[in-house]
Amino acid sequence: MSAAAEDIIFHTNPMSRGRIVRWMLEELGQPYRTEVMVYGESMKSPAYLAVNPMGKVPAIVHRGVVVTEAAAICAYLADAFPSAGLAPALDDPQRGSYLRWLFFAAGPVEAAVSAKAMGLLAPPEKAGMVGYGSFEQTVDTLETVAASASPWLLGERFSAADVYVGSQVLWGQMFKSMPERDAFAAYGERLRSRPAWQRAAALDDALIPPRA
């Protein structure tokens, strides 16, 4: 394997949020090396805990720098490889919207969907204590975001925000963790049509062990 391919080391499991980063890497078009981690085994090994003390995936190592958390990895890679055009420049007026929706999905959306799945949503009288407020408010806002994508969150320009926000929408559809909305269906269809998404899905699906 060439030295260039060693530049990004991607720690993942095909049945994890690592699928988001795989998609981002395929959109990026840069060579990377995949290290598949096994739940409860290599993921908790001393060698991997030295990379991510949480013992979770995804994580990347780039030029000796470790980055964890899928949204942070997407944002980092977009900035580290500006020629891919996946993030507005610092002086671009769209930078604010890009960061806003990227981290809205990483914060309120992720928290609200996870809390609902576990039956741990904050009661109405304590909604002010959680970042998502209420599940309904968060999903309604996400629907507004998806409906405004024409075709992408930044208009004609696809960005890392579409990778992360789009992944939340696609997973919400797949796992029925979000209500069905026309805006989600239309946005999801556009996302699944991207060659990079299709490549990433195929690569990860091929790594899933067959059921006994």
Side-chain angles (χ1 to χ4, degrees):
M1 185 171 290
S2 69
E6 298 276 344
D7 199 31
I8 302 173
I9 303 172
F10 171 43
H11 298 273
T12 189
N13 182 286
M15 300 177 68
S16 75
R17 290 171 178 81
R19 294 180 77 100
I20 301 173
V21 175
R22 170 84 73 182
W23 178 13
M24 180 64 189
L25 287 165
E26 289 299 315
E27 292 282 358
L28 202 66
Q30 295 292 323
Y32 62 93
R33 188 181 83 207
T34 302
E35 296 285 346
V36 178
M37 314 303 295
V38 179
Y39 286 107
E41 297 177 24
S42 58
M43 213 176 288
K44 302 298 182 182
S45 68
Y48 185 62
L49 290 175
V51 175
N52 184 0
M54 291 289 286
K56 297 173 65 178
V57 291
I60 65 164
V61 182
H62 177 234
R63 298 174 182 168
V65 176
V66 175
V67 188
T68 65
E69 316 314 316
I73 294 171
C74 288
Y76 172 86
L77 288 173
D79 286 343
F81 297 94
S83 62
L86 293 171
L90 291 176
D91 59 352
D92 189 322
Q94 288 190 314
R95 181 79 176 184
S97 294
Y98 162 78
L99 292 173
R100 176 188 181 186
W101 298 124
L102 177 63
F103 291 104
F104 169 73
V109 173
E110 172 84 13
V113 171
S114 297
K116 187 175 189 298
M118 295 184 293
L120 296 173
L121 285 170
E125 67 273 13
K126 294 186 178 180
M129 299 177 65
V130 292
Y132 59 83
S134 72
F135 177 80
E136 293 75 18
Q137 183 181 24
T138 300
V139 171
D140 288 348
T141 301
L142 183 62
E143 179 185 19
T144 300
V145 177
S148 69
S150 57
W152 312 118
L153 298 180
L154 301 181
E156 293 296 323
R157 179 180 189 175
F158 183 87
S159 73
D162 289 293
V163 172
Y164 194 85
V165 176
S167 292
Q168 296 292 340
V169 170
L170 292 174
W171 283 6
Q173 292 177 314
M174 180 184 301
F175 296 110
K176 308 298 183 185
S177 57
M178 292 183 194
E180 295 182 4
R181 304 279 173 88
D182 289 344
F184 294 158
Y187 185 40
E189 185 175 353
R190 295 194 296 275
L191 293 164
R192 286 189 293 270
S193 72
R194 293 190 65 80
W197 182 89
Q198 296 169 5
R199 289 195 305 272
L203 287 167
D204 278 325
D205 289 346
L207 291 172
I208 297 175
R211 293 184 178 181

mmCIF file of all heavy atoms in Angstrom, residues 8 10 18-34 74 77 84 86 158 163 194-204:
data_model
loop_
_atom_site.group_PDB
_atom_site.id
_atom_site.type_symbol
_atom_site.label_atom_id
_atom_site.label_comp_id
_atom_site.label_asym_id
_atom_site.label_seq_id
_atom_site.Cartn_x
_atom_site.Cartn_y
_atom_site.Cartn_z
ATOM 1 N N ILE A 8 -4.564 8.661 5.956
ATOM 2 C CA ILE A 8 -5.767 8.639 6.776
ATOM 3 C C ILE A 8 -6.016 7.206 7.203
ATOM 4 O O ILE A 8 -6.203 6.328 6.361
ATOM 5 C CB ILE A 8 -7.006 9.156 6.014
ATOM 6 C CG1 ILE A 8 -6.804 10.574 5.509
ATOM 7 C CG2 ILE A 8 -8.245 9.097 6.921
ATOM 8 C CD1 ILE A 8 -7.925 11.070 4.606
ATOM 9 N N PHE A 10 -8.624 4.897 9.166
ATOM 10 C CA PHE A 10 -10.042 4.952 9.505
ATOM 11 C C PHE A 10 -10.415 3.738 10.348
ATOM 12 O O PHE A 10 -10.417 2.610 9.877
ATOM 13 C CB PHE A 10 -10.844 4.987 8.202
ATOM 14 C CG PHE A 10 -12.328 4.847 8.331
ATOM 15 C CD1 PHE A 10 -13.037 5.508 9.318
ATOM 16 C CD2 PHE A 10 -13.035 4.062 7.417
ATOM 17 C CE1 PHE A 10 -14.412 5.382 9.420
ATOM 18 C CE2 PHE A 10 -14.412 3.939 7.496
ATOM 19 C CZ PHE A 10 -15.101 4.589 8.507
ATOM 20 N N GLY A 18 -19.691 4.685 12.093
ATOM 21 C CA GLY A 18 -18.582 4.753 11.160
ATOM 22 C C GLY A 18 -19.045 4.815 9.715
ATOM 23 O O GLY A 18 -18.304 5.281 8.841
ATOM 24 N N ARG A 19 -20.267 4.382 9.447
ATOM 25 C CA ARG A 19 -20.803 4.453 8.092
ATOM 26 C C ARG A 19 -20.903 5.903 7.617
ATOM 27 O O ARG A 19 -20.785 6.187 6.421
ATOM 28 C CB ARG A 19 -22.160 3.760 8.016
ATOM 29 C CG ARG A 19 -22.083 2.259 8.252
ATOM 30 C CD ARG A 19 -23.454 1.611 8.163
ATOM 31 N NE ARG A 19 -23.901 1.457 6.790
ATOM 32 C CZ ARG A 19 -23.835 0.326 6.092
ATOM 33 N NH1 ARG A 19 -23.302 -0.771 6.624
ATOM 34 N NH2 ARG A 19 -24.280 0.278 4.847
ATOM 35 N N ILE A 20 -21.139 6.809 8.549
ATOM 36 C CA ILE A 20 -21.187 8.230 8.194
ATOM 37 C C ILE A 20 -19.825 8.679 7.683
ATOM 38 O O ILE A 20 -19.708 9.354 6.648
ATOM 39 C CB ILE A 20 -21.604 9.088 9.408
ATOM 40 C CG1 ILE A 20 -22.971 8.660 9.937
ATOM 41 C CG2 ILE A 20 -21.601 10.573 9.041
ATOM 42 C CD1 ILE A 20 -23.359 9.354 11.238
ATOM 43 N N VAL A 21 -18.789 8.304 8.420
ATOM 44 C CA VAL A 21 -17.437 8.728 8.052
ATOM 45 C C VAL A 21 -16.984 8.038 6.773
ATOM 46 O O VAL A 21 -16.290 8.640 5.942
ATOM 47 C CB VAL A 21 -16.460 8.470 9.214
ATOM 48 C CG1 VAL A 21 -15.028 8.787 8.801
ATOM 49 C CG2 VAL A 21 -16.856 9.326 10.424
ATOM 50 N N ARG A 22 -17.382 6.785 6.585
ATOM 51 C CA ARG A 22 -17.056 6.103 5.330
ATOM 52 C C ARG A 22 -17.616 6.901 4.143
ATOM 53 O O ARG A 22 -16.924 7.111 3.139
ATOM 54 C CB ARG A 22 -17.647 4.691 5.329
ATOM 55 C CG ARG A 22 -17.559 3.990 3.976
ATOM 56 C CD ARG A 22 -16.232 3.342 3.758
ATOM 57 N NE ARG A 22 -16.120 2.158 4.590
ATOM 58 C CZ ARG A 22 -15.037 1.400 4.634
ATOM 59 N NH1 ARG A 22 -13.977 1.707 3.899
ATOM 60 N NH2 ARG A 22 -14.982 0.328 5.416
ATOM 61 N N TRP A 23 -18.857 7.330 4.264
ATOM 62 C CA TRP A 23 -19.462 8.131 3.201
ATOM 63 C C TRP A 23 -18.668 9.411 2.984
ATOM 64 O O TRP A 23 -18.364 9.793 1.852
ATOM 65 C CB TRP A 23 -20.915 8.405 3.553
ATOM 66 C CG TRP A 23 -21.678 9.254 2.577
ATOM 67 C CD1 TRP A 23 -21.316 9.602 1.307
ATOM 68 C CD2 TRP A 23 -22.948 9.860 2.803
ATOM 69 N NE1 TRP A 23 -22.281 10.399 0.723
ATOM 70 C CE2 TRP A 23 -23.298 10.566 1.628
ATOM 71 C CE3 TRP A 23 -23.830 9.872 3.881
ATOM 72 C CZ2 TRP A 23 -24.475 11.282 1.500
ATOM 73 C CZ3 TRP A 23 -25.014 10.573 3.757
ATOM 74 C CH2 TRP A 23 -25.342 11.275 2.577
ATOM 75 N N MET A 24 -18.311 10.080 4.089
ATOM 76 C CA MET A 24 -17.538 11.313 3.984
ATOM 77 C C MET A 24 -16.207 11.058 3.276
ATOM 78 O O MET A 24 -15.789 11.832 2.404
ATOM 79 C CB MET A 24 -17.290 11.890 5.379
ATOM 80 C CG MET A 24 -16.489 13.176 5.400
ATOM 81 S SD MET A 24 -17.345 14.543 4.591
ATOM 82 C CE MET A 24 -16.017 15.752 4.557
ATOM 83 N N LEU A 25 -15.539 9.970 3.602
ATOM 84 C CA LEU A 25 -14.265 9.650 2.975
ATOM 85 C C LEU A 25 -14.428 9.381 1.480
ATOM 86 O O LEU A 25 -13.582 9.776 0.670
ATOM 87 C CB LEU A 25 -13.633 8.434 3.664
ATOM 88 C CG LEU A 25 -13.057 8.700 5.057
ATOM 89 C CD1 LEU A 25 -12.804 7.386 5.787
ATOM 90 C CD2 LEU A 25 -11.765 9.516 4.969
ATOM 91 N N GLU A 26 -15.513 8.726 1.106
ATOM 92 C CA GLU A 26 -15.757 8.468 -0.308
ATOM 93 C C GLU A 26 -16.069 9.766 -1.057
ATOM 94 O O GLU A 26 -15.677 9.936 -2.215
ATOM 95 C CB GLU A 26 -16.881 7.451 -0.470
ATOM 96 C CG GLU A 26 -16.499 6.034 -0.049
ATOM 97 C CD GLU A 26 -15.350 5.473 -0.872
ATOM 98 O OE1 GLU A 26 -15.374 5.624 -2.110
ATOM 99 O OE2 GLU A 26 -14.422 4.891 -0.280
ATOM 100 N N GLU A 27 -16.768 10.683 -0.411
ATOM 101 C CA GLU A 27 -17.011 11.992 -1.028
ATOM 102 C C GLU A 27 -15.704 12.758 -1.169
ATOM 103 O O GLU A 27 -15.494 13.494 -2.146
ATOM 104 C CB GLU A 27 -18.001 12.808 -0.184
ATOM 105 C CG GLU A 27 -19.429 12.287 -0.134
ATOM 106 C CD GLU A 27 -20.232 12.607 -1.391
ATOM 107 O OE1 GLU A 27 -19.702 13.272 -2.314
ATOM 108 O OE2 GLU A 27 -21.400 12.175 -1.464
ATOM 109 N N LEU A 28 -14.815 12.575 -0.215
ATOM 110 C CA LEU A 28 -13.554 13.309 -0.195
ATOM 111 C C LEU A 28 -12.646 12.904 -1.361
ATOM 112 O O LEU A 28 -11.939 13.741 -1.925
ATOM 113 C CB LEU A 28 -12.854 13.033 1.136
ATOM 114 C CG LEU A 28 -11.820 14.021 1.639
ATOM 115 C CD1 LEU A 28 -12.470 15.347 1.971
ATOM 116 C CD2 LEU A 28 -11.130 13.443 2.877
ATOM 117 N N GLY A 29 -12.653 11.614 -1.678
ATOM 118 C CA GLY A 29 -11.822 11.147 -2.788
ATOM 119 C C GLY A 29 -10.352 10.992 -2.468
ATOM 120 O O GLY A 29 -9.520 10.898 -3.373
ATOM 121 N N GLN A 30 -10.020 10.972 -1.179
ATOM 122 C CA GLN A 30 -8.632 10.774 -0.768
ATOM 123 C C GLN A 30 -8.428 9.313 -0.359
ATOM 124 O O GLN A 30 -9.338 8.665 0.150
ATOM 125 C CB GLN A 30 -8.295 11.676 0.419
ATOM 126 C CG GLN A 30 -8.336 13.150 0.112
ATOM 127 C CD GLN A 30 -7.229 13.587 -0.826
ATOM 128 O OE1 GLN A 30 -6.106 13.086 -0.754
ATOM 129 N NE2 GLN A 30 -7.532 14.510 -1.721
ATOM 130 N N PRO A 31 -7.211 8.785 -0.564
ATOM 131 C CA PRO A 31 -6.947 7.400 -0.135
ATOM 132 C C PRO A 31 -6.965 7.290 1.383
ATOM 133 O O PRO A 31 -6.592 8.222 2.095
ATOM 134 C CB PRO A 31 -5.561 7.112 -0.704
ATOM 135 C CG PRO A 31 -4.929 8.461 -0.864
ATOM 136 C CD PRO A 31 -6.041 9.406 -1.218
ATOM 137 N N TYR A 32 -7.422 6.154 1.863
ATOM 138 C CA TYR A 32 -7.448 5.918 3.319
ATOM 139 C C TYR A 32 -7.335 4.424 3.571
ATOM 140 O O TYR A 32 -7.615 3.602 2.696
ATOM 141 C CB TYR A 32 -8.735 6.470 3.945
ATOM 142 C CG TYR A 32 -10.020 5.845 3.437
ATOM 143 C CD1 TYR A 32 -10.601 4.756 4.088
ATOM 144 C CD2 TYR A 32 -10.657 6.346 2.302
ATOM 145 C CE1 TYR A 32 -11.775 4.196 3.625
ATOM 146 C CE2 TYR A 32 -11.835 5.785 1.831
ATOM 147 C CZ TYR A 32 -12.394 4.717 2.491
ATOM 148 O OH TYR A 32 -13.561 4.151 2.033
ATOM 149 N N ARG A 33 -6.907 4.089 4.772
ATOM 150 C CA ARG A 33 -6.784 2.691 5.173
ATOM 151 C C ARG A 33 -7.834 2.392 6.237
ATOM 152 O O ARG A 33 -7.971 3.131 7.209
ATOM 153 C CB ARG A 33 -5.393 2.413 5.744
ATOM 154 C CG ARG A 33 -5.138 0.922 6.008
ATOM 155 C CD ARG A 33 -3.763 0.709 6.600
ATOM 156 N NE ARG A 33 -3.757 0.925 8.041
ATOM 157 C CZ ARG A 33 -2.676 1.320 8.730
ATOM 158 N NH1 ARG A 33 -1.561 1.613 8.090
ATOM 159 N NH2 ARG A 33 -2.746 1.465 10.031
ATOM 160 N N THR A 34 -8.571 1.310 6.039
ATOM 161 C CA THR A 34 -9.632 0.935 6.968
ATOM 162 C C THR A 34 -9.142 -0.082 7.981
ATOM 163 O O THR A 34 -8.546 -1.101 7.609
ATOM 164 C CB THR A 34 -10.835 0.343 6.208
ATOM 165 O OG1 THR A 34 -11.312 1.301 5.265
ATOM 166 C CG2 THR A 34 -11.955 -0.023 7.167
ATOM 167 N N CYS A 74 -16.211 14.646 10.144
ATOM 168 C CA CYS A 74 -16.672 15.215 8.873
ATOM 169 C C CYS A 74 -16.200 16.656 8.717
ATOM 170 O O CYS A 74 -15.699 17.053 7.655
ATOM 171 C CB CYS A 74 -18.201 15.156 8.798
ATOM 172 S SG CYS A 74 -18.869 13.489 8.556
ATOM 173 N N LEU A 77 -12.289 16.716 8.182
ATOM 174 C CA LEU A 77 -11.852 16.283 6.858
ATOM 175 C C LEU A 77 -12.197 17.307 5.785
ATOM 176 O O LEU A 77 -11.409 17.541 4.861
ATOM 177 C CB LEU A 77 -12.486 14.931 6.520
ATOM 178 C CG LEU A 77 -11.945 13.731 7.298
ATOM 179 C CD1 LEU A 77 -12.780 12.492 6.995
ATOM 180 C CD2 LEU A 77 -10.472 13.470 6.974
ATOM 181 N N ALA A 84 -11.688 19.434 -2.101
ATOM 182 C CA ALA A 84 -12.889 18.623 -2.328
ATOM 183 C C ALA A 84 -14.152 19.480 -2.345
ATOM 184 O O ALA A 84 -15.204 19.031 -2.801
ATOM 185 C CB ALA A 84 -13.006 17.532 -1.263
ATOM 186 N N LEU A 86 -16.047 20.525 0.159
ATOM 187 C CA LEU A 86 -17.106 20.020 1.035
ATOM 188 C C LEU A 86 -17.387 20.910 2.232
ATOM 189 O O LEU A 86 -18.183 20.546 3.104
ATOM 190 C CB LEU A 86 -16.756 18.604 1.502
ATOM 191 C CG LEU A 86 -16.767 17.555 0.380
ATOM 192 C CD1 LEU A 86 -16.194 16.235 0.867
ATOM 193 C CD2 LEU A 86 -18.181 17.360 -0.149
ATOM 194 N N PHE A 158 -23.129 20.645 -2.532
ATOM 195 C CA PHE A 158 -23.138 19.550 -1.565
ATOM 196 C C PHE A 158 -21.994 19.769 -0.586
ATOM 197 O O PHE A 158 -20.907 20.190 -0.971
ATOM 198 C CB PHE A 158 -22.960 18.214 -2.285
ATOM 199 C CG PHE A 158 -23.036 17.017 -1.383
ATOM 200 C CD1 PHE A 158 -24.255 16.436 -1.094
ATOM 201 C CD2 PHE A 158 -21.885 16.474 -0.832
ATOM 202 C CE1 PHE A 158 -24.339 15.323 -0.260
ATOM 203 C CE2 PHE A 158 -21.949 15.373 0.005
ATOM 204 C CZ PHE A 158 -23.181 14.794 0.291
ATOM 205 N N VAL A 163 -23.705 15.245 4.433
ATOM 206 C CA VAL A 163 -23.303 13.904 4.839
ATOM 207 C C VAL A 163 -23.846 13.602 6.230
ATOM 208 O O VAL A 163 -24.467 12.554 6.459
ATOM 209 C CB VAL A 163 -21.764 13.746 4.817
ATOM 210 C CG1 VAL A 163 -21.357 12.401 5.427
ATOM 211 C CG2 VAL A 163 -21.234 13.869 3.399
ATOM 212 N N ARG A 194 -26.318 9.586 -4.725
ATOM 213 C CA ARG A 194 -24.932 10.015 -4.864
ATOM 214 C C ARG A 194 -24.008 8.793 -5.001
ATOM 215 O O ARG A 194 -24.064 7.863 -4.191
ATOM 216 C CB ARG A 194 -24.489 10.875 -3.674
ATOM 217 C CG ARG A 194 -25.209 12.220 -3.629
ATOM 218 C CD ARG A 194 -24.588 13.152 -2.602
ATOM 219 N NE ARG A 194 -23.231 13.530 -2.945
ATOM 220 C CZ ARG A 194 -22.896 14.481 -3.823
ATOM 221 N NH1 ARG A 194 -23.837 15.152 -4.466
ATOM 222 N NH2 ARG A 194 -21.621 14.754 -4.051
ATOM 223 N N PRO A 195 -23.125 8.809 -5.996
ATOM 224 C CA PRO A 195 -22.203 7.678 -6.183
ATOM 225 C C PRO A 195 -21.363 7.390 -4.936
ATOM 226 O O PRO A 195 -21.096 6.216 -4.625
ATOM 227 C CB PRO A 195 -21.332 8.124 -7.357
ATOM 228 C CG PRO A 195 -22.215 9.046 -8.141
ATOM 229 C CD PRO A 195 -23.014 9.782 -7.103
ATOM 230 N N ALA A 196 -20.940 8.420 -4.227
ATOM 231 C CA ALA A 196 -20.112 8.207 -3.030
ATOM 232 C C ALA A 196 -20.897 7.483 -1.949
ATOM 233 O O ALA A 196 -20.348 6.621 -1.244
ATOM 234 C CB ALA A 196 -19.580 9.538 -2.505
ATOM 235 N N TRP A 197 -22.174 7.828 -1.784
ATOM 236 C CA TRP A 197 -23.013 7.119 -0.804
ATOM 237 C C TRP A 197 -23.139 5.661 -1.202
ATOM 238 O O TRP A 197 -23.042 4.751 -0.360
ATOM 239 C CB TRP A 197 -24.400 7.755 -0.701
ATOM 240 C CG TRP A 197 -25.254 7.072 0.329
ATOM 241 C CD1 TRP A 197 -25.341 7.359 1.664
ATOM 242 C CD2 TRP A 197 -26.119 5.944 0.119
ATOM 243 N NE1 TRP A 197 -26.201 6.487 2.292
ATOM 244 C CE2 TRP A 197 -26.682 5.599 1.373
ATOM 245 C CE3 TRP A 197 -26.459 5.189 -1.003
ATOM 246 C CZ2 TRP A 197 -27.584 4.539 1.524
ATOM 247 C CZ3 TRP A 197 -27.346 4.123 -0.850
ATOM 248 C CH2 TRP A 197 -27.902 3.804 0.399
ATOM 249 N N GLN A 198 -23.353 5.399 -2.475
ATOM 250 C CA GLN A 198 -23.511 4.031 -2.950
ATOM 251 C C GLN A 198 -22.233 3.222 -2.772
ATOM 252 O O GLN A 198 -22.273 2.058 -2.355
ATOM 253 C CB GLN A 198 -23.962 4.045 -4.411
ATOM 254 C CG GLN A 198 -25.339 4.663 -4.609
ATOM 255 C CD GLN A 198 -25.670 4.927 -6.063
ATOM 256 O OE1 GLN A 198 -24.926 4.577 -6.971
ATOM 257 N NE2 GLN A 198 -26.806 5.578 -6.303
ATOM 258 N N ARG A 199 -21.087 3.838 -3.060
ATOM 259 C CA ARG A 199 -19.815 3.145 -2.851
ATOM 260 C C ARG A 199 -19.601 2.829 -1.379
ATOM 261 O O ARG A 199 -19.194 1.716 -1.018
ATOM 262 C CB ARG A 199 -18.642 4.000 -3.359
ATOM 263 C CG ARG A 199 -18.546 4.125 -4.867
ATOM 264 C CD ARG A 199 -17.171 4.665 -5.270
ATOM 265 N NE ARG A 199 -16.823 5.916 -4.627
ATOM 266 C CZ ARG A 199 -17.132 7.120 -5.113
ATOM 267 N NH1 ARG A 199 -17.826 7.227 -6.233
ATOM 268 N NH2 ARG A 199 -16.754 8.213 -4.477
ATOM 269 N N ALA A 200 -19.851 3.814 -0.541
ATOM 270 C CA ALA A 200 -19.645 3.633 0.898
ATOM 271 C C ALA A 200 -20.549 2.539 1.447
ATOM 272 O O ALA A 200 -20.114 1.686 2.238
ATOM 273 C CB ALA A 200 -19.901 4.951 1.631
ATOM 274 N N ALA A 201 -21.814 2.547 1.048
ATOM 275 C CA ALA A 201 -22.754 1.530 1.522
ATOM 276 C C ALA A 201 -22.308 0.141 1.089
ATOM 277 O O ALA A 201 -22.361 -0.824 1.870
ATOM 278 C CB ALA A 201 -24.150 1.837 0.998
ATOM 279 N N ALA A 202 -21.847 0.023 -0.145
ATOM 280 C CA ALA A 202 -21.403 -1.276 -0.643
ATOM 281 C C ALA A 202 -20.170 -1.768 0.110
ATOM 282 O O ALA A 202 -20.062 -2.958 0.459
ATOM 283 C CB ALA A 202 -21.108 -1.188 -2.139
ATOM 284 N N LEU A 203 -19.225 -0.870 0.373
ATOM 285 C CA LEU A 203 -18.019 -1.249 1.106
ATOM 286 C C LEU A 203 -18.352 -1.728 2.511
ATOM 287 O O LEU A 203 -17.825 -2.740 2.987
ATOM 288 C CB LEU A 203 -17.054 -0.070 1.163
ATOM 289 C CG LEU A 203 -16.325 0.286 -0.136
ATOM 290 C CD1 LEU A 203 -15.664 1.654 -0.027
ATOM 291 C CD2 LEU A 203 -15.300 -0.789 -0.481
ATOM 292 N N ASP A 204 -19.222 -0.998 3.210
ATOM 293 C CA ASP A 204 -19.575 -1.395 4.567
ATOM 294 C C ASP A 204 -20.434 -2.649 4.588
ATOM 295 O O ASP A 204 -20.244 -3.528 5.447
ATOM 296 C CB ASP A 204 -20.282 -0.242 5.286
ATOM 297 C CG ASP A 204 -19.304 0.777 5.842
ATOM 298 O OD1 ASP A 204 -18.217 0.372 6.287
ATOM 299 O OD2 ASP A 204 -19.624 1.970 5.847
#
